[in-house]
Amino acid sequence: MQTSIALQARAAAAAGDHRHALMTALILDDNDVDRMRLRKLCREAGLTLDIAEAGTLAEFSAALDAASYDLVFLDHHLGMETGLEALGRLTAHPDQGGALPIMVTSLNRCDVAVQAMREGCADYLVKEDLSVEAIRNSVTGALERRILIGALSEARVMRAHLRTTVARFNRSCGPELRAILAGLLGQVRAVRR
């Protein structure tokens, strides 16, 4: 299966496949029925996704190398391997920085959920409780958090850049311009309050 995923991705890219405009998802689960159920729930939730599947960690790694994904659904229990191992591979992969990982598992264990969230999962869903609404809430919540974190990170970077620029300007200008700059910064602080 791992070669078919890579070949499909390359063929789609070479052919200019229109599906590239869709959100992409990767489902890692060693159970065919669970993968099919998750596909169906995503479709019923109104998500039109270009979905790739992997049943093992090796297939998962090959899929990560073959394409970039927006959403990644990870089963926790994968025989001798775990979804946490897969999460580590996903977060370490240089081409998957935008992927939103969601753990979907039959284990209703707080310790696993906490560890998954600490290691980068956007959500933790129990298979017994899976529903259209749970998928919708999970995906939209994950996207909202990613947007908020991105906006905050961008604002921090922008503020740091602005501080550096202001400091350089302050060192480069005369007393008259420093007085104008101090007044301007005072007005900005007043507006922020």
Side-chain angles (χ1 to χ4, degrees), residues 27 35-43 51-53:
I27 299 173
R35 288 195 309 262
M36 188 171 50
R37 179 175 177 234
L38 189 53
R39 272 181 176 271
K40 181 181 180 213
L41 286 170
C42 286
R43 192 172 45 254
I51 299 176
E53 296 181 1

Side-chain angles (χ1 to χ4, degrees), residues 23 37 93 122 126 128 135 175 187-188 190:
M23 281 186 69
R37 179 175 177 234
H93 198 284
V126 178
E128 292 176 354
I135 294 292
Q187 290 174 350
V188 168

Side-chain angles (χ1 to χ4, degrees), residues 3-17:
T3 55
S4 68
I5 292 172
L7 291 174
Q8 288 172 358
R10 287 188 190 107
D17 195 340

Side-chain angles (χ1 to χ4, degrees), residues 1-5 26-32 35 52-65 69 72-87 89-90:
M1 180 167 184
Q2 70 188 54
T3 55
S4 68
I5 292 172
L26 175 59
I27 299 173
L28 171 61
D29 198 310
D30 59 348
N31 186 314
D32 293 336
R35 288 195 309 262
E53 296 181 1
T56 67
L57 215 46
E59 291 174 0
F60 180 75
S61 293
L64 293 180
D65 291 338
Y69 298 97
V72 178
F73 296 99
L74 304 165
D75 183 19
H76 180 266
H77 191 329
L78 301 166
M80 298 300 289
E81 302 161 327
T82 70
L84 293 173
E85 292 173 65
L87 179 60
R89 290 184 188 190
L90 174 68

Side-chain angles (χ1 to χ4, degrees), residues 173-180:
C173 66
E176 305 83 26
L177 286 176
R178 281 191 199 120
I180 293 171

Side-chain angles (χ1 to χ4, degrees), residues 9 15 25 29 37 47 59 76 97 111 121 133 137 143 146 164 175 183:
D29 198 310
R37 179 175 177 234
L47 296 169
E59 291 174 0
H76 180 266
D111 61 324
C121 265
E133 194 63 30
N137 290 340
L143 285 170
R146 179 60 57 89
T164 303

